[in-house]
Amino acid sequence: MMNKNRPVIARAHTNIALVKYWGGKQNENLIIPQNDSLSLTLDQFYTDTTVTFDPTLTADAVLIDNEVAQGSDYQRVVDFLDIVRQKAQTPDRFFNVNSVNHVPPTAAGFASSASAFAALAAAASRAADLKLDLTELSRLARRGSGSASRSIFAGFVQWHTGNDDETSYAEQYASAADWDIGVIALTLQKSRKKVSSRQGMQLSVTTSPFYSEWIKLANSDIEQIKQAIDQHDFTTVGHISETNALRMHALTLSADPGFIYFTGQTIEMINEIRQLRKMGIECYATIDAGPNVKVLCQKENASKIMTHFNQLLGSENVIYTTPGSGIEYLEK
């Protein structure tokens, strides 16, 4: 029986995909991808979500960053809660949801949906008295946002493609606790992107002539980056991550009609990163579906790289983070 007054608070960290799953989905409803992906969970960026079952409600009440959710944002949360209700076999139970993002601008390419839906999955399932293990939680989070399946776990995380709801889930591939690795997030644009990730994927998979080649290369990247992780080979991890990201964005450029997440400043920052490498400061770029750039680096070089980008962008737009933890439940 649900405890009507007991709020459940879950924290999930966002992740950065080092090998991305861009390229379309086998199943749009279940969010089953065409290729495996592999990510690193980040400490500095996270979402705290509180979910409370309330028997007085006749519809879900949703706050996102202290504002009443409306339109598609509200509907996306309700659709996800419908899945939770279905699993709990409680179709007439409604929830108060309060989600607070500690992530750079939502929907600007910082994977805020990953931490948001991972936290929602954890809090809502527990508020509905569902006792899910981490694999089951990963499957559930995937239904809200594909990348959320990976935010259930810490360290390096692989999302297995699978072919149905049961076989498509993420799991930790390796801990990052003993890795000399950090990520510097460069915020170049704070506005919501014009083409959502879901829209962009659909357009890329249906119209890019390079789509089938992307799948082959991404699957190869997964195997190579796992070997590099096993060997603690930062150089290879960085190289694969940068190459994979640029190939992903080549799909958007080659779609019909083509679309571009980059701004001119995105390209400038990629060139700055390459210039730092030429100077002997090893670092690599990765970019999700948005204009903002993440810099993979070793901790020993972080301060030099931070100083460089602080001068270019201002310190408020440059944030350093280390690997983060998996899903957590917080006490109120």
Side-chain angles (χ1 to χ4, degrees), residues 16-286:
I16 180 66
L18 307 180
V19 174
K20 304 181 189 303
Y21 79 93
W22 196 269
K25 302 182 179 77
Q26 294 180 47
N27 185 309
E28 287 290 340
N29 181 47
L30 293 177
I31 312 185
I32 296 174
Q34 296 280 7
N35 63 277
D36 281 23
S37 56
L38 190 141
S39 64
L40 178 64
T41 303
L42 304 177
D43 179 62
Q44 193 76 8
F45 310 133
Y46 58 91
T47 301
D48 287 344
T49 298
T50 304
V51 178
T52 311
F53 164 61
D54 186 340
T56 68
L57 291 176
T58 56
D60 296 310
V62 181
L63 284 177
I64 300 176
D65 294 331
N66 298 314
E67 293 186 5
V68 176
Q70 297 178 337
S72 60
D73 288 340
Y74 175 76
Q75 193 58 49
R76 196 173 172 190
V77 173
V78 170
D79 288 347
F80 184 81
L81 292 173
D82 283 343
I83 297 169
V84 174
R85 280 186 278 267
Q86 183 181 23
K87 286 182 177 294
Q89 298 182 331
T90 53
D92 300 321
R93 306 287 180 107
F94 298 100
F95 300 94
N96 271 305
V97 177
N98 186 355
S99 183
V100 180
N101 290 295
H102 301 268
V103 182
T106 301
F110 273 109
S112 55
S113 64
S115 57
F117 277 98
L120 180 61
S125 61
R126 189 166 281 195
D129 283 345
L130 288 170
K131 295 176 173 59
L132 305 182
D133 63 26
L134 291 179
T135 300
E136 292 168 327
L137 205 53
S138 177
R139 290 193 195 102
L140 175 60
R142 188 200 74 235
R143 299 292 299 275
S145 170
S147 54
S149 66
R150 300 188 303 248
S151 280
I152 301 299
F153 301 94
F156 295 99
V157 181
Q158 182 176 359
W159 176 12
H160 299 284
T161 304
N163 51 37
D164 57 20
D165 186 47
E166 188 71 17
T167 55
S168 186
Y169 60 90
E171 64 180 349
Q172 185 187 73
Y173 178 72
S175 170
D178 60 346
W179 262 76
D180 178 21
I181 192 169
V183 175
I184 299 170
L186 308 179
T187 301
L188 310 179
Q189 182 175 300
K190 298 181 179 180
S191 58
R192 182 181 285 261
K193 59 198 178 193
K194 294 178 181 177
V195 181
S196 72
S197 297
R198 196 165 290 191
Q199 291 170 323
M201 286 185 191
Q202 289 172 341
L203 191 56
S204 297
V205 70
T206 54
T207 66
S208 170
F210 307 132
Y211 164 70
S212 59
E213 198 62 27
W214 155 263
I215 296 298
K216 295 176 190 173
L217 291 168
N219 287 329
S220 173
D221 286 345
I222 283 283
E223 295 311 311
Q224 291 183 52
I225 204 167
K226 285 165 67 175
Q227 290 178 15
I229 291 168
D230 292 344
Q231 296 162 8
H232 279 62
D233 180 353
F234 173 77
T235 299
T236 300
V237 167
H239 173 75
I240 291 171
S241 300
E242 184 169 298
T243 303
N244 181 269
L246 294 176
R247 285 173 175 165
M248 184 201 97
H249 285 275
L251 290 175
T252 77
L253 291 164
S254 59
D256 184 9
F259 58 101
I260 303 170
Y261 287 119
F262 289 179
T263 63
Q265 204 174 22
T266 305
I267 295 169
E268 288 174 16
M269 294 306 107
I270 294 170
N271 287 332
E272 290 289 338
I273 290 164
R274 292 183 167 184
Q275 188 60 36
L276 285 170
R277 282 210 300 269
K278 285 184 180 178
M279 294 164 55
I281 302 172
E282 192 174 14
C283 56
Y284 300 88
T286 185

